Amino acid sequence: MAVSMAVAKRIYILGLLVLVLLLYSTSAAVRTFVIEENELVRLRPIATDPDHDRITYTYSKPVNEQGEWQTGYDDAGTYDITITASDGEKTTTQKVILIVKNVNRAPVLSEKKIIVKEKQVVDLTSMVSDPDGDALSFTFAAPFDRSGKWQTEYGDEGKRLASFTVSDGEAQLAARVEIEVLPSNRPPEIVDSFSAESVVVLDEDEL
């Protein structure tokens, strides 16, 4: 038996209301997902439509149109993501909370070789950085002092390998740096003079 247009329209609207109620009931409790930095996020929502309409989904940033987000380092934080389901005329939203946990990264060595001249200071700490900005602790060996510095002198010309360790409290780096000390020009020295006295007294016309 054929259904009148008015009745069909009312059934269609009721069907949409059922869809809205179903999605609203699932969105009442916000779901929370926990991942770590550098992991791939894939959101795959499931919705039902009593009218069997085709449902499309959209996502709020940082998730892309496919419901995916490749997290990276420095993305740690809490994100409120909105998923929108649409049958072409009506839309319903669902919110989820995504918690991205920080992943510790080890300290890194910015340079593997340094060239200085005699009498210059070599500072090993200036060659190390931490991607997460963590406080670093060091262990050095001679000729470097406890602060990682070496005051080169005349006669230190040559190449040597400096080994030291760096820790951010979780990860440790065993670093090795090649140091080349170039010779510096030395000023001339007066080794002898006409008199051993610091003050010489002469009369006029004397040589």
Side-chain angles (χ1 to χ4, degrees):
M1 182 177 179
V3 181
S4 66
M5 291 296 296
V7 174
K9 185 176 181 181
R10 184 167 58 184
I11 293 174
Y12 177 69
I13 293 173
L14 289 174
L16 286 178
L17 288 175
V18 171
L19 171 63
V20 171
L21 289 174
L22 284 172
L23 288 177
Y24 181 79
S25 64
T26 59
S27 63
V30 179
R31 297 189 62 184
T32 300
F33 301 92
V34 180
I35 64 169
E36 292 186 343
E37 287 178 331
N38 230 30
E39 290 186 339
L40 175 64
V41 177
R42 283 196 179 107
L43 296 179
R44 295 293 182 263
I46 298 175
T48 58
D49 188 301
D51 303 313
H52 304 293
D53 295 325
R54 181 175 177 272
I55 301 174
T56 58
Y57 302 95
T58 55
Y59 310 88
S60 62
K61 292 182 179 181
V63 180
N64 64 18
E65 297 178 354
Q66 289 73 43
E68 298 181 351
W69 177 31
Q70 176 59 64
T71 64
Y73 294 116
D74 301 323
D75 282 332
T78 301
Y79 300 84
D80 295 325
I81 299 174
T82 301
I83 304 172
T84 302
S86 173
D87 66 356
E89 293 189 19
K90 298 290 184 178
T91 61
T92 303
T93 60
Q94 164 103 33
K95 289 188 176 182
V96 297
I97 297 175
L98 179 64
I99 299 176
V100 183
K101 299 177 67 176
N102 178 70
V103 174
N104 183 63
R105 288 174 284 177
V108 294
L109 191 64
S110 59
E111 297 180 54
K112 294 185 178 181
K113 181 177 181 178
I114 184 171
I115 301 175
V116 298
K117 287 187 175 183
E118 292 172 327
K119 299 298 291 184
Q120 289 184 329
V121 177
V122 180
D123 185 0
L124 294 180
T125 61
S126 64
M127 305 176 194
V128 180
S129 62
D130 188 87
D132 302 312
D134 296 331
L136 301 177
S137 59
F138 298 84
T139 303
F140 304 101
F144 293 88
D145 59 21
R146 297 181 62 183
S147 62
K149 294 181 180 180
W150 174 34
Q151 173 64 64
T152 63
E153 300 292 346
Y154 292 123
D156 287 332
E157 175 189 356
K159 296 181 180 179
R160 67 194 70 208
L161 192 63
S163 299
F164 61 101
T165 58
V166 191
S167 175
D168 64 0
E170 293 184 37
Q172 182 170 291
L173 169 68
R176 301 175 69 183
V177 177
E178 180 183 350
I179 301 173
E180 182 176 0
V181 182
L182 302 178
S184 292
N185 184 55
R186 305 188 193 189
E189 296 181 10
I190 299 176
V191 296
D192 194 14
S193 64
F194 69 93
S195 173
E197 302 295 331
S198 59
V199 177
V200 178
V201 180
L202 297 173
D203 292 330
E204 291 180 330
D205 292 333
E206 280 190 324
L207 178 63

